[in-house]
Amino acid sequence: MDDWKTRTKLIHSGIRRSQYGEVAEAIFLTQGFVYDSAEQAEARFLEAGPDEFIYARYGNPTVRMFEDRIAAIEGAEDAFAAASGMAAVNGALTSMLKAGDHVVSARALFGSCLYILEEVLARYGVEVTFVDGTDLDQWKNAINKDTKAVFFETMSNPTLEVVDLPAVAKLAHRVGAKVIVDNVFATPVFSRALELGADVVVYSATKHIDGQGRTLGGVILGTKEFIRKTVEPYMKHTGGSMSPFTAWVMLKGLETMDLRVRAQAASAQAMAEALQWDARLERVIYPGLEQHPQHVLATEMMEKAGTVLSIDIKGGQPAAFRFLNALKIMIISNNLGDAKSIVTHPATTTHQRLPDDQKAALGITPGLVRISLGIEDTEDLIADVKQALDAV
């Protein structure tokens, strides 16, 4: 199994079949499990085996199939499936930190991630230092002997800054800090974050893993010791685990993820190239373009530059809104990684809670629009964007 290629792993890894020999993975919709004897119940509560279960909040056969399959894709020892991407981010950080610990984080983050770092961790006495994720000197100056973890998005949302994962990991590991990365934009298909130096990888499975706008989910990946000794106790007692039905949806999503993501990335590259010199735009942001500040780094770290690009439309928010409202194929929403192409205005939606000066520092301008490419025909998508720009 270890020598299987990605697409084969996405179909067959982690399979557990019942006595009925079903083709599609079974959904075990049960909150608990029956024991053959009181002695067996006692033994299982002391230490459950790899295919023994106690309670759905602790683990479930369908959920375990998803955990094993995504771990095989990522090259991780183990995984814990969470109720949402943010449950995964919170679980990865909060489970390992205590009052007095120090965290260094890139400041370019999704709004809810910023809330956890600025509000939740600070409330419980964890010190957090924010740095420009693309500036290695700032990482070097901020990481110290008290640092327990560093956290960043491998590609930031929505301005697609690329952090030098191997270099930051080297700095963190010198002081024994764990490297926790949100790898959503890079995807499990195009990035091998653990091989590059990450200790813990977090995904919102809502995005490319489901990829069809059906349900929320998240996953934390790392060593078996970290997942089962640190993450699992925290998650099972605080209730952040994934439901069996969601796990089944995610298993079905994994089967087609490689095909979908490659098609989406090809469309993103074509869209970026078609728009990069458009006079109606201040800038086109996509790591696959040579003009991107971290283009070379992105090429070294990832097989492809991802499924998302951002454009900054001249004329600010009024022009951006006219553009959004003129689109005929792309839909206005706040998800990404979906089979449908989705456009988002971060300044008024996903990052609206940030003060204007912080938005400006992160490059989230009034004219910025994030475009998540779906699997529609590429030529149709480019034509849709161009006619919407004409309307502006």
Side-chain angles (χ1 to χ4, degrees):
M1 200 175 99
D2 289 340
D3 60 351
W4 288 353
K5 305 298 184 186
T6 296
R7 289 186 191 175
T8 306
K9 289 180 179 178
L10 286 168
I11 301 294
H12 296 290
S13 291
I15 283 284
R16 286 168 168 78
R17 289 192 170 91
S18 74
Q19 69 271 30
Y20 299 110
E22 61 279 349
V23 172
E25 296 83 352
I27 310 175
F28 290 89
L29 289 177
T30 179
Q31 45 57 273
F33 300 84
V34 175
Y35 313 107
D36 294 334
S37 66
E39 289 80 6
Q40 185 186 64
E42 178 188 35
R44 195 169 296 183
F45 267 79
L46 287 171
E47 185 175 3
D51 275 310
E52 294 180 338
F53 301 94
I54 298 170
Y55 190 63
R57 184 159 42 84
Y58 292 25
N60 171 282
T62 313
V63 176
R64 187 62 55 82
M65 280 191 272
F66 169 68
E67 290 170 343
D68 287 351
R69 186 170 297 178
I70 189 65
I73 301 307
E74 194 69 28
E77 289 182 6
D78 209 345
F80 192 93
S84 69
M86 290 315 306
V89 171
N90 181 65
L93 288 165
T94 309
S95 66
M96 65 163 292
L97 296 170
K98 64 182 186 305
D101 285 346
H102 178 238
V103 175
V104 181
S105 172
R107 63 170 58 94
L109 297 174
F110 176 57
S112 295
C113 293
L114 282 170
Y115 178 82
I116 288 175
L117 290 156
E118 292 178 330
E119 302 287 340
V120 177
L121 294 183
R123 191 181 304 160
Y124 294 107
V126 176
E127 181 187 355
V128 180
T129 301
F130 290 99
V131 299
D132 178 346
T134 64
D135 188 336
L136 283 177
D137 287 335
Q138 289 194 29
W139 284 106
K140 184 176 181 179
N141 292 332
I143 294 171
N144 60 53
K145 61 180 179 61
D146 296 320
T147 304
K148 301 301 180 185
V150 301
F151 178 75
F152 55 91
E153 297 168 354
T154 46
M155 282 200 294
S156 70
N157 179 10
T159 53
L160 302 173
E161 295 178 354
V162 181
V163 176
D164 190 337
L165 171 52
V168 174
K170 187 175 180 180
L171 293 171
H173 291 156
R174 284 178 182 172
V175 299
K178 284 194 181 300
V179 179
I180 303 174
V181 300
D182 181 334
N183 209 37
V184 165
F185 274 53
T187 81
V189 174
F190 298 139
S191 169
R192 290 291 180 265
L194 293 172
E195 293 177 11
L196 293 174
D199 299 297
V200 181
V201 177
V202 177
Y203 288 104
S204 170
T206 312
K207 311 301 190 290
H208 301 94
I209 293 172
D210 173 21
Q212 290 156 83
R214 297 171 293 193
T215 189
L216 297 176
V219 64
I220 308 166
L221 299 112
T223 64
K224 186 170 291 292
E225 181 177 9
F226 179 74
I227 295 299
R228 296 303 158 190
K229 299 284 182 66
T230 300
V231 172
E232 182 184 280
Y234 176 83
M235 296 296 281
K236 75 182 186 183
H237 290 303
T238 57
S241 52
M242 181 179 281
S243 76
F245 179 77
T246 296
W248 182 81
V249 172
M250 295 304 175
L251 283 164
K252 297 295 100 183
L254 282 175
E255 290 182 350
T256 61
M257 181 176 67
D258 187 275
L259 297 170
R260 286 184 284 104
V261 169
R262 290 186 184 281
Q264 290 167 287
S267 288
Q269 183 72 42
M271 178 76 74
E273 291 174 358
L275 297 178
Q276 64 179 322
W277 307 120
D278 195 303
R280 296 164 292 190
L281 304 177
E282 297 284 357
R283 54 183 174 149
V284 175
I285 309 171
Y286 185 65
L289 294 177
E290 291 185 4
Q291 67 198 52
H292 189 282
Q294 292 94 43
H295 170 71
V296 174
L297 176 63
T299 302
E300 292 173 348
M301 286 176 46
M302 297 178 293
E303 182 183 342
K304 300 289 183 183
T307 68
V308 179
L309 68 140
S310 291
I311 59 175
D312 197 344
I313 302 172
K314 292 179 179 178
Q317 181 176 321
F321 276 25
R322 286 196 295 273
F323 169 79
L324 293 171
N325 293 335
L327 290 164
K328 297 177 181 178
I329 298 174
M330 297 186 174
I331 59 175
I332 302 171
S333 189
N334 48 288
N335 195 24
L336 61 93
D338 197 275
K340 298 177 179 68
S341 291
I342 294 173
V343 288
T344 307
H345 188 252
T348 56
T349 58
T350 56
H351 291 71
Q352 58 82 25
R353 65 174 283 272
L354 300 181
D356 288 343
D357 59 342
Q358 194 169 350
K359 289 177 189 172
L362 295 174
I364 303 173
T365 63
L368 191 76
V369 174
R370 188 187 73 194
I371 303 176
S372 172
L373 279 299
I375 58 174
E376 304 96 337
D377 184 88
T378 304
E379 292 183 5
D380 286 344
L381 295 175
I382 293 173
D384 192 30
V385 168
K386 288 189 172 181
Q387 68 82 24
L389 287 172
D390 289 340
V392 173

